[in-house]
Amino acid sequence: MAELQGPNLTDKVVIVTGGARGLGAAAAKQIVDAGGRVVVTDLLDEGAETAAALGAHARFHRHDVTSEEQWKAVVDFTVAEFGRVDGLVNNAGVSTGTMFDTETLEHFEFVIKVNLTGVWLGMQAVIPHLKANGGGSIVNVSSAAGLMGLAMTGSYGASKWAVRGMSKVAAVELGPARIRVNSVHPGMIYTPMTSSVGIREGEGNYPNTPMGRVGEPSEIGAAVAFLLSDAASYVTGAELAVDGGWTTGPTVRYVMGQ
Amino acid sequence: MSDSIDLTGKVAIVTGAARGQGEAEARLFARRGARVVLTDLLEDEGARVAGEIGPRARFVRHDVSNAADWAAVVELAVREFGPVDVLVNNAGVMWTKPILEETPEGLDRILKVNLFGAFHGIQAVAPLMRANGGGSIVNISSLAGLQGIPGHAAYGSSKWAVRGLTKTAALELGEYGIRVNSVHPGAVDTPMIGDRFTRGPGNFPTVPLRRVGEPEDIGELVAFLASDASSWITGTEFVIDGGSTAGIVPPVRG
């Protein structure tokens, strides 16, 4: 049997924020595997190793997504290295893990700045380039916490709902320019950001979701790669849950009172 | 380097595959390495499409509202190609009629095909998929299953019901590795809709992408949901409509 194949991204140039590890690194790998070129950005310098491991079609640029100047630098770098920009994956994010009544204003504002303002700045930075190319694809990584009210996600949930809404506004405004904008809503995925909550990988180890397991970063990467590709050429303004059924409803076990 | 979503080794059943979206899905699946059983009430067209696809395809006449027909379809799929990995509940009927003019018989007819068809299909393949360690079921709903659309009292009811059926099935079948998702196409130029649309850029200004959907657009999404690339996606409703449900569409600029 042939190796599992994802969508075709031949010669597409994509910026992936938060690409040093976790979902972003998995998405970057799938983009390169599908024939694309990727600029991995992150605050973490280990992004340089992530990019180096992906070979000649990947670069790293250090990047604080809350800085408008740094966004300009990242886009300029991308054009200088690969000649163009076709796609953006707004993946960089920080999580919460605090109860509503104990979260500080400073933390709330920090989370909103990274998860929401960062996405907004990113879209603004790439849109002129995508327009000049006759179109493009923007994938904003929201969360299951942007589809439902998830406990202990005050600022995080607010930011992810906002990203979901902003994606739709951008989709209707940018459709005529053939720029597609979609949101992806990962459920509980095993990444460095989430491993601290004590989840475990493997079948049966996450029984409160219908598929009974947490997701792997590559499973989100595949959805991102699909949305970046021309295979999704009529998909815009969509929200795609990739969560093993978590936000679909309560599990059989829950309904049966177990 | 990979060039497409891979369906190598998969055995799929696609209903309503004689033309339109089902035909596009069947052709795409075969190109991506799957073996496909095409089913439809339209025998001549279905057999012709399967013949054009070649040895990777079979056609069987199939009334999706008939549970006995379903047993025969699954039996044929297993006999010809082996255990079924993918089911696309695509077959459907549509007409528009004001609610005050719709009849109980009309509602019953649409539900029998669009809703009972999907229900029978899930019941027919899920035990096999369970025994086989998993599978993917894609139910074709509609924009009319996400919002109210005038003239779609019967059709809309059936498509909202398919959306709900999908979620229940996803919750109950998840533990067997069976994924169930719904796809919600907007306006797509197919024979079901009739000769209403002109394809191509700029010809459909009421959606943000300014063009009508084509069967191949939907086929690509269904292929993704059928493939292992979507291995953690279940219970999801996936809109594919050129952006029309994202919100208020901006006017065409001078």
Side-chain angles (χ1 to χ4, degrees):
Chain A
M1 183 167 153
E3 191 183 340
L4 178 67
Q5 293 180 342
N8 182 5
L9 294 171
T10 302
D11 296 334
K12 291 207 190 285
V13 178
V14 182
I15 298 168
V16 179
T17 69
R21 53 184 203 177
L23 301 188
K29 180 175 190 317
Q30 298 216 6
I31 290 163
V32 171
D33 286 348
R37 283 122 219 248
V38 69
V39 172
V40 168
T41 84
D42 210 299
L43 271 178
L44 302 171
D45 287 330
E46 71 182 88
E49 294 156 37
T50 308
L54 294 176
H57 288 169
R59 299 284 187 280
F60 171 70
H61 197 286
R62 193 170 187 286
H63 185 198
D64 173 358
V65 295
T66 68
S67 159
E68 192 170 7
E69 295 72 34
Q70 290 193 24
W71 266 108
K72 185 175 182 315
V74 164
V75 171
D76 288 349
F77 174 76
T78 304
V79 172
E81 292 292 315
F82 294 130
R84 52 191 283 144
V85 184
D86 300 293
L88 167 65
V89 181
N90 275 313
N91 165 76
V94 290
S95 64
T96 314
T98 52
M99 296 291 275
F100 209 90
D101 53 0
T102 55
E103 186 167 16
T104 63
L105 176 61
E106 290 70 25
H107 188 259
F108 183 86
E109 289 179 338
F110 167 69
V111 171
I112 295 294
K113 197 159 186 192
V114 176
N115 293 3
L116 178 58
T117 310
V119 171
W120 184 79
L121 286 171
M123 289 201 286
Q124 285 219 328
V126 301
I127 284 167
H129 294 267
L130 301 182
K131 276 187 173 165
N133 286 345
S137 174
I138 297 172
V139 180
N140 292 329
V141 179
S142 176
S143 167
L147 295 171
M148 61 177 177
L150 187 63
M152 303 179 74
T153 67
S155 55
Y156 183 79
S159 72
K160 294 302 188 181
W161 277 78
V163 165
R164 178 187 178 196
M166 194 164 68
S167 300
K168 292 193 196 297
V169 177
V172 291
E173 288 192 18
L174 299 171
R178 298 195 204 169
I179 299 170
R180 299 181 296 100
V181 187
N182 295 284
S183 57
V184 170
H185 300 261
M188 192 59 84
I189 314 290
Y190 190 83
T191 71
M193 189 181 87
T194 59
S195 60
S196 60
V197 303
I199 57 174
R200 286 189 301 135
E201 295 173 279
E203 299 289 341
N205 286 331
Y206 197 61
N208 60 356
T209 206
M211 290 188 76
R213 63 175 175 87
V214 298
E216 300 292 332
S218 63
E219 296 180 303
I220 310 302
V224 170
F226 171 73
L227 290 170
L228 288 170
S229 78
D230 293 339
S233 55
Y234 203 55
V235 179
T236 193
E239 50 197 47
L240 177 56
V242 187
D243 67 352
W246 198 26
T247 57
T248 302
T251 60
V252 174
R253 184 179 306 203
Y254 181 90
V255 171
M256 300 302 282
Q258 294 166 17
Chain B
M1 188 179 72
S2 52
D3 61 354
S4 61
I5 292 285
D6 183 41
L7 294 171
T8 302
K10 302 266 189 215
V11 175
I13 297 171
V14 180
T15 70
R19 53 185 201 175
Q21 288 177 31
E23 176 187 351
E25 287 149 14
R27 289 183 186 276
L28 186 63
F29 279 23
R31 282 207 302 279
R32 303 283 164 82
R35 287 166 295 168
V36 189
V37 173
L38 297 82
T39 88
D40 210 302
L41 277 175
L42 302 170
E43 291 186 72
D44 292 348
E45 289 153 287
R48 180 180 56 77
V49 173
E52 287 174 9
I53 294 173
R56 291 183 175 284
R58 298 287 185 277
F59 171 74
V60 59
R61 187 185 185 281
H62 181 202
D63 175 359
V64 295
S65 69
N66 180 321
D69 263 23
W70 270 104
V73 167
V74 171
E75 193 184 293
L76 176 132
V78 172
R79 188 174 65 240
E80 294 288 318
F81 295 138
V84 177
D85 303 294
V86 177
L87 167 64
V88 183
N89 279 313
N90 167 75
V93 289
M94 187 201 80
W95 56 78
T96 55
K97 197 175 270 193
I99 190 166
L100 296 181
E101 293 173 23
E102 187 58 86
T103 63
E105 294 73 25
L107 177 64
D108 192 56
R109 170 70 188 146
I110 275 192
L111 290 179
K112 277 281 179 355
V113 176
N114 297 4
L115 176 59
F116 281 70
F119 172 78
H120 290 316
I122 293 168
Q123 286 208 328
V125 302
L128 262 177
M129 289 179 172
R130 180 180 176 176
N132 203 23
S136 173
I137 298 172
V138 182
N139 295 328
I140 307 299
S141 177
S142 166
L143 278 202
L146 295 171
Q147 58 185 195
I149 300 180
H152 280 328
Y155 183 75
S157 298
S158 74
K159 293 302 189 181
W160 276 79
V162 165
R163 181 184 176 197
L165 178 75
T166 301
K167 294 197 189 296
T168 305
L171 291 165
E172 293 191 15
L173 301 175
E175 65 176 302
Y176 310 125
I178 302 172
R179 300 181 297 103
V180 192
N181 294 286
S182 58
V183 169
H184 300 260
V188 181
D189 183 29
T190 69
M192 188 181 85
I193 306 284
D195 202 15
R196 282 170 43 194
F197 301 124
T198 305
R199 296 188 187 189
N203 288 328
F204 197 59
T206 55
V207 308
L209 288 176
R210 308 295 200 216
R211 68 172 176 90
V212 71
E214 299 179 17
E216 292 71 21
D217 290 318
I218 315 302
E220 293 281 2
L221 171 57
V222 173
F224 170 69
L225 291 172
S227 78
D228 294 339
S230 61
S231 54
W232 212 47
I233 296 178
T234 195
T236 291
E237 49 198 51
F238 205 131
V239 62
I240 174 163
D241 67 348
S244 65
T245 54
I248 310 294
V249 179
V252 176
R253 279 183 238 190

